[in-house]
Amino acid sequence: MRWDDIGHAVVTGGAGFLGSHLCERLLERGVSVICMDNFLTGSPGNVAHLIGCPEFRVIECDLTQFVHVPGEVDLVLHLASAASPVDYLKLPVETLKVGGLGTLHALGLAREKRARFVLASTSEVYGDPLRHPQREDYWGNVNPVGPRSVYDEAKRYAEALTTAYRNSRGVTSGIVRIFNTYGPRIRPYDGRAVPTFIRQALAGEPITVAGDGSQTRSICYVDDTVSGILALALSDLPGPVNIGNPHEVTVLELAETIRELAGSRSMITFVERPVDDPSMRCPDTTLARERLGWEPAVPTEDGLRRTIAWFTAELAGGDRVGTSVP
C-alpha cells in the first residue's frame, strides 16, 4: 500500500491523545478522515483545531454498537479503548467491551470496505515480562484476574480476533504493539508517569514515584509513534510489530529528568506500587527497523522538553490543564 492508495481513512478513538495526532498526520498527507469517538476518555478539544477542514468529519458513536460508514474506506485505524490505568480501572467492563465488540465491529467495517485494518495493541500484552527486552515472539506474563487484566486481556483478545479475521475472513490487517507514548495533548491526570511527573513538577507539588523507582520504562514521543503506526499501515506486514523507543530508563531517573527540565524544585516522594505494575519495559524494535525502515527519531530529552512546553503554554493560556479528567 502507498499513500496514493489511501484516499479515505477511519480512525476509531480519533479524539483521544494518540488518535488525534494520527488524524492530523493523515490530513497533512491529503487523506480524508472520519474520526469516530464516544468521548468517554477522548476529548472534542483534541480535534477542535481540525473542525472546519473539509476532509475531516467527526462521528460520535459507541463502537460496541453496530457502525456504518457511507462511501469508500481504504484504511481503518482502530485505537478506540481506555488506555490509562485511571480510565480502565474506573471503566473495566467498557474497556473489555471495546476490546471485544468494538474490535469486532471495526474489523467488520474493514471487511465490508475491503480496507486495510490496523489494530493499536499495547506493550501491556507482555504483562510483567520474564524476557527482556520484549520481542514480538514473547507470549507475555499476564495475570488474567488482576486489576490490569481488563486492559491487558482486552488487547490480547483483540489481537486474536484481528488474526482470526485475517486468516479466515480475508481482512488485510496489521497489529502494532505501542510502548509508552507521550507528548502534547496527553491528559495531565492520565495516571501514567510522564504526564503525572510533568504536572507535579510544574505545580511545585511532590513528584510521586511508585515503589523505589527502579522499575524501567521506555517512552516514545508521539510523532515517532504516529510514524511507526503509519509505516505499518502502508506495509503488508501482519505483525505484531513493536513501536517504541528502546532507550530504557528507570522511573526514578525519569522523574529526576523531568524535574530538571521543568526547572522545578519539587521533592521526589515514594508511594506504594500498583498491583501488577510491570518491573521492566523495553521493546526490541529490530522487526520495525528491518521490515518497516522505522526507528524513533526524537531523543527523550527533546520530546520531554516539547511536552513540558505544551503543558506550560496551556497553563499560561488560562486553561485548567490540571483539571481535565474524564
Side-chain angles (χ1 to χ4, degrees), residues 139-211:
W139 292 356
N141 178 41
V142 174
N143 177 0
V145 294
R148 301 170 69 99
S149 66
V150 296
Y151 183 62
D152 301 355
E153 299 290 20
K155 289 297 188 180
R156 287 161 70 93
Y157 177 78
E159 287 195 11
L161 193 56
T162 299
T163 302
Y165 260 70
R166 180 183 181 90
N167 292 337
S168 68
R169 304 291 172 87
V171 174
T172 302
S173 63
I175 298 169
V176 55
R177 289 178 179 163
I178 298 168
F179 282 69
N180 298 91
T181 299
Y182 70 100
R185 296 187 212 130
I186 195 166
R187 296 192 345 258
Y189 281 92
D190 177 274
R192 286 174 281 196
V194 170
T196 299
F197 293 167
I198 292 175
R199 171 177 56 81
Q200 292 170 335
L202 291 177
E205 300 172 356
I207 298 174
T208 51
V209 171

Side-chain angles (χ1 to χ4, degrees), residues 22-153:
L22 272 166
C23 289
E24 201 171 56
R25 185 78 65 88
L26 288 165
L27 288 167
E28 289 172 358
R29 297 299 304 239
V31 179
S32 294
V33 176
I34 291 178
C35 163
M36 303 178 75
D37 209 298
N38 65 354
F39 303 115
L40 197 59
T41 60
S43 168
N46 285 337
V47 292
H49 63 295
L50 303 178
I51 301 298
C53 173
E55 299 300 323
F56 183 71
R57 179 183 171 199
V58 177
I59 297 178
E60 183 175 358
C61 65
D62 182 351
L63 200 62
T64 65
Q65 306 295 322
F66 175 77
V67 295
H68 173 70
V69 174
E72 296 181 7
V73 175
D74 306 300
L75 175 65
V76 176
L77 297 168
H78 179 41
L79 284 85
S81 178
S84 75
V86 165
D87 294 328
Y88 61 69
L89 292 176
K90 186 172 69 175
L91 303 166
V93 174
E94 291 86 349
T95 301
L96 286 161
K97 285 178 70 177
V98 77
L101 288 172
T103 303
L104 182 72
H105 292 149
L107 280 162
L109 175 64
R111 186 187 183 200
E112 174 196 348
K113 302 295 186 178
R114 300 181 183 274
R116 177 153 170 79
F117 176 88
V118 175
L119 170 69
S121 188
T122 172
S123 63
E124 296 303 315
V125 301
Y126 298 122
D128 191 5
L130 303 177
R131 185 186 295 178
H132 196 68
Q134 292 79 64
R135 205 172 72 175
E136 290 89 349
D137 60 1
Y138 177 51
W139 292 356
N141 178 41
V142 174
N143 177 0
V145 294
R148 301 170 69 99
S149 66
V150 296
Y151 183 62
D152 301 355
E153 299 290 20

Side-chain angles (χ1 to χ4, degrees), residues 221-295:
Y221 190 65
V222 64
D223 288 0
D224 285 332
T225 300
V226 167
S227 295
I229 293 170
L230 293 176
L232 178 64
L234 289 165
S235 77
D236 59 359
L237 201 62
V241 178
N242 290 336
I243 294 296
N245 191 332
H247 175 63
E248 183 182 15
V249 297
T250 68
V251 172
L252 179 56
E253 288 169 342
L254 182 60
E256 291 170 341
T257 299
I258 287 173
R259 179 175 63 178
E260 180 181 349
L261 294 175
S264 172
R265 296 183 178 180
S266 291
M267 295 179 57
I268 292 178
T269 61
F270 298 91
V271 297
E272 186 176 355
R273 277 182 70 179
V275 176
D276 296 333
D277 181 46
S279 58
M280 59 188 77
R281 255 309 168 266
C282 184
D284 182 323
T285 56
T286 303
L287 185 61
R289 185 175 64 253
E290 293 182 350
R291 296 293 302 276
L292 301 178
W294 176 89
E295 55 187 340

